[in-house]
Amino acid sequence: MSDPGTSRRAGIRGLATAAVEAMSLTWRSAPGGVTGYVFLTLAEAAAPIATVWLTKSVIDRLTTPDGAVAGLALGLAAAGLAAAALPGIGRYLRAQTGRLARAEAIDRLFAAAERQVGLRRFEDPVFPDRLRLAQEGAGTTGDLVSGVCGSLTGVLSLIGFVGSLLILSPAMTALVLLAAVPALVAELLLSRRRATKQWDLEQIHRREFFYSRLLTGVQAATEIRLFGIGAFLRVRMMAERRRADTAEIRMDRRELVTQGGLTTLSAAVAGAGLWWAITSARQGSLSVGDVAMFVAAVGGVQTALNTLVSSMASVHARLLTFSHYVAVIRAEPDLASVDEGTAPALRRGIELRDVWFRYSDDHPWVLRGVDLTIPHGRSVALVGLNGAGKSTLIRLLCRMYDPTRGRILWDGVDLRDIRPLIFAIESVPCSRTT
């Protein structure tokens, strides 16, 4: 059994690796868009804070005889305009950056898939599942930047509003901040559960798709009708569908309970703060402007905390998905390859020397000690029952797999010393199995 601390550290390292990979990819794809989006994030975080302080100053000036408010009113209007316009510009930049990053990520993903010379990984159900999640992760690269910038917005807004609250009441500031701790923990736990559920559902959906393809495809239509197994396959398919729905419902209920509890806590804290502000104003310790600023600051702190928590949870969930992308693009080829050694035109023939092969250690031997010579310029037919190894032999000749034992020689050169893709595409003569 693995040590929990080690597993946790490995998970943290994996998320850190995914974060660095995502940021690096996005920066290479759209450096200008990332820079502009960061500057807009800073401005977007400053606008609400400026609005709160300007509102307080305007109210205090209005309660003072001959208080000039024209300049403050103009500043308040400018802050409001910025707060209204900046999100739209940010969405535009995020969309443009996301498209460029997504195109780059998808191109790199399929290039990595092409590096898998053989078929072993693709015939392992885990790898196609991971590849599908990697495609989803590649499509959300821009969303990771958005989540990071959202977290930055939350932090900056939080600092500004907390500074405003500290001037009025350090105790109420501490209460508002403490109320955010369970929200952060709960959201991070939910994001991890969502990622786990997504991985489990990927396997369930794969089996469901397999049954649905059998029931609706033409390849199996004859056998299904001859043997009358359509109802059996439909029951299997619907069982997978119910398993997926059960997992979704369980997650929805968990989120409903968690979000309901967090909303109740937030409302209770805001109500306690409002009661304190009204009481303090009646006692004369706070001005009307202070009360207005306090109410706005409490709302601002809670909004900033919600933005921060939501962004962090979103980034955490997207990094968990993006880690599948990182695993695929960094996966080593399943067969050893060489950079040189393109197969020349065949002159003498192909020779199999004591070739043994099985698809895994858990499978039986498909080929046992095969010795075979295929002369150049001759046609060879492979005849045998299903499962005798005909297709396997062709796969070995095309180097979709390497023999478990023995050698396959192309004019005396081991296929392992020839570039597999060049060999498979340019040099292999047509073969036929019967």
Side-chain angles (χ1 to χ4, degrees), residues 162-241:
V162 165
S164 303
L165 276 180
L166 279 172
I167 297 174
L168 300 176
S169 173
M172 289 303 303
T173 304
L175 177 62
V176 172
L177 292 177
L178 285 175
V181 174
L184 177 60
V185 174
E187 288 290 351
L188 291 179
L189 290 176
L190 281 176
S191 68
R192 181 171 291 276
R193 288 185 179 275
R194 291 188 196 101
T196 302
K197 181 205 69 174
Q198 184 182 31
W199 174 252
D200 293 339
L201 288 182
E202 189 67 30
Q203 302 172 59
I204 294 174
H205 290 322
R206 171 168 47 81
R207 292 191 292 267
E208 181 186 0
F209 176 72
F210 169 74
Y211 291 125
S212 67
R213 186 172 56 181
L214 285 178
L215 288 168
T216 58
V218 67
Q219 291 182 336
T222 302
E223 288 81 358
I224 289 175
R225 281 151 183 80
L226 283 175
F227 294 103
I229 58 175
F232 170 79
L233 294 175
R234 191 178 70 254
V235 169
R236 287 290 188 91
M237 181 186 70
M238 294 308 299
E240 298 297 340
R241 167 48 42 197

Side-chain angles (χ1 to χ4, degrees), residues 66-80:
D66 300 327
V69 296
L72 294 174
L74 289 175
L76 189 59

